[in-house]
Each structure stands twice: as structure tokens, then as C-alpha cells.
Amino acid sequence: MDREHRRELLAEVHRERDRLLPLRAEATETTIELMRTSTGHVSEPDLVPYLNLMYLLTVKRAYGDDQLLAFALSLANWAVVAIDEVAKCTGRTAEQVIDQYETEIIAARESAPPEEDEAETEAD
């Protein structure tokens, strides 16, 4: 990426940040609500993605794309801080924590049975 392109990209990021800033408080409240709900179900890992998707869809339908973007930014910020805290508490680097989760996700994908195509399932 050349210097001019980088400058334009940073200017766009600053404009979007300023535009979304008024939505931050509500996005943070929604993030806290999602975290309280979803973390209460970590013993049911198959349920967590559905709860999270429910929150995302609710925000998008009720408030639109800007609030969804603000919510996603809030979630990303929380994830970064949480990973950093896990790293500090476990004596690892953030990269090591991320690598562990990435390895677990890859292993889970490889051990999962292949998903059937819906059309094949309906035909049976």
C-alpha cells in the first residue's frame, strides 16, 4: 500500500469513527448485555453462536447498519482486551492465545462430519 492510499484510508477511518462515535454508548450497553447472556451459556457451545447471531440480527433490524457497525466495533474492542487479559493471566502472549483458539477451531472443523447439502437432505 503506497503512502497516498494509506493516508486516504486513515482519513476514511477517522471520518467513520467520528460519525459512529455518538452510537458508542448504546453499542457498549448492547455488548455488555450480549456478553452477560452468552457467557452464561458457554457450557452449551452450540447455543452461543445462535445467541450472538440473534443479537446481531436484532441490532441490524431495530437500528440499522450504522448501529450494527458500532456494535461490531464494540465487540471487536472487547475481544482484543479479553484476549490480552487471558494472555496476562496465563503468562502467554496474545499471539499464543489466538494460536491456541485457531488450532482448536481447525481441529474441530477437521473432526466434524461434512455438512450435507440441503437439497440432498430434502430429497431423502
Side-chain angles (χ1 to χ4, degrees), residues 4 17 39 74-75 83 95 104 110 114 121:
E4 181 61 25
R17 180 195 174 276
T39 56
S74 176
L75 286 169
I83 289 169
E95 189 66 31
E104 289 172 7
E110 289 174 355
T121 304

Side-chain angles (χ1 to χ4, degrees), residues 32-90:
I32 292 168
E33 184 180 307
L34 176 139
M35 294 297 171
R36 289 188 192 283
T37 300
S38 293
T39 56
H41 294 281
V42 293
S43 61
E44 303 171 73
D46 292 340
L47 179 60
V48 173
Y50 291 100
L51 292 171
N52 293 339
L53 184 55
M54 178 190 69
Y55 271 89
L56 291 167
L57 290 172
T58 299
V59 168
K60 182 178 180 180
R61 289 179 181 147
Y63 303 107
D65 290 341
D66 283 352
Q67 188 67 38
L68 181 61
L69 188 57
F71 180 44
L73 179 58
S74 176
L75 286 169
N77 293 339
W78 277 65
V80 168
V81 171
I83 289 169
D84 190 59
E85 285 296 315
V86 168
K88 287 177 185 172
C89 291
T90 60

